[in-house]
Amino acid sequence: MLSLAVKRSNQAPSQWVHSDESLVGREVHLQVGGSCVLDTAQLDKQPVTFFAGGIGISPLLSMYRFWVGLQVERAGEDSSIPPSSFLYSVSDENELVFLGELVGAYEKLIGACSDPSDHSLILTTTQQERDVKQALHGKRVTWRNGRQLKAFIDDAPRNSAFYLCGPPSMLDEGSQLLEKKSVDDSDIHMERWW
């Protein structure tokens, strides 16, 4: 199964997806590419840190679900699960696509590990002051308002594998912060879009 989320914009692919040309059942051709892939050789050896900005949640959610699935299997074998952190930042709560799936994967991870404090899921809105914690009542998810990328990267272990996907300005800021943190280039995985 393929899940795809495309934010409405002036870019040609987005315009096509949101047009009358794009109909359920219509054949489409996909091209595989990009360098932002989950490093499966390191999955049990180092912490992982994910940062999704806006619709950048799409590829990172897939990686996160895969990573969580493997860690849950390993937990059943009495293996330790490396620390993880996930920051999902959007302009306002209306952009929180796949929220249920993300929180569900996180809850699955927390339920399988021996030390839940080794893992975090932080949701943030950057252009909305209203507190939307009510939707997360009873979940072990942190909600913050405002920009959180610097604090998030500062708090992440330097030896993490970092996975970032989002708007170009966010990736530029993330690159600079990771460079200042002296993170090895081989541990930085970014998906740039438009």
Side-chain angles (χ1 to χ4, degrees):
M1 180 177 95
L2 176 68
S3 294
L4 183 65
V6 179
K7 183 177 180 178
R8 190 178 302 271
S9 77
N10 292 329
Q11 302 296 326
S14 175
Q15 288 181 346
W16 183 84
V17 166
H18 294 284
S19 75
D20 292 338
E21 296 272 327
S22 174
L23 302 171
V24 173
R26 176 115 190 234
E27 183 176 317
V28 296
H29 298 276
L30 301 175
Q31 181 177 349
V32 178
S35 60
C36 185
V37 295
L38 195 61
D39 184 357
T40 56
Q42 297 295 324
L43 290 179
D44 60 347
K45 297 178 178 72
Q46 75 184 121
V48 293
T49 301
F50 296 91
F51 177 76
I55 203 66
I57 187 67
S58 296
L60 294 189
L61 178 60
S62 177
M63 290 181 209
Y64 186 66
R65 282 190 305 226
F66 182 80
W67 184 84
V68 166
L70 288 178
Q71 302 311 324
V72 168
E73 281 180 26
R74 291 181 66 243
E77 301 165 359
D78 292 328
S79 297
S80 63
I81 298 175
S84 70
S85 52
F86 200 119
L87 175 64
Y88 180 22
S89 182
V90 295
S91 296
D92 63 59
E93 66 184 292
N94 295 321
E95 293 185 0
L96 286 168
V97 296
F98 301 124
L99 180 61
E101 290 180 55
L102 179 60
V103 171
Y106 177 69
E107 290 286 313
K108 184 177 180 181
L109 173 67
I110 295 302
C113 68
S114 59
D115 188 359
S117 67
D118 281 347
H119 307 280
S120 64
L121 172 58
I122 302 167
L123 306 173
T124 182
T125 54
T126 59
Q127 298 175 16
Q128 179 179 3
E129 293 299 319
R130 192 166 62 87
D131 191 354
V132 293
K133 290 181 188 175
Q134 298 85 350
L136 302 171
H137 182 70
K139 307 291 184 192
R140 294 175 274 197
V141 176
T142 302
W143 185 272
R144 297 181 183 154
N145 287 321
R147 296 172 53 101
Q148 300 293 319
L149 183 57
K150 182 178 183 332
F152 180 72
I153 288 178
D154 286 348
D155 290 345
R158 193 179 69 74
N159 66 330
S160 285
F162 289 87
Y163 297 89
L164 294 88
C165 185
S169 60
M170 183 272 303
L171 293 182
D172 292 342
E173 180 183 358
S175 293
Q176 292 169 3
L177 292 167
L178 292 171
E179 185 178 324
K180 285 181 187 174
K181 193 176 177 84
S182 300
V183 174
D184 191 276
D185 286 345
S186 65
D187 287 331
I188 303 171
H189 311 276
M190 283 194 235
E191 183 66 33
R192 292 192 178 271
W193 46 271
W194 308 319

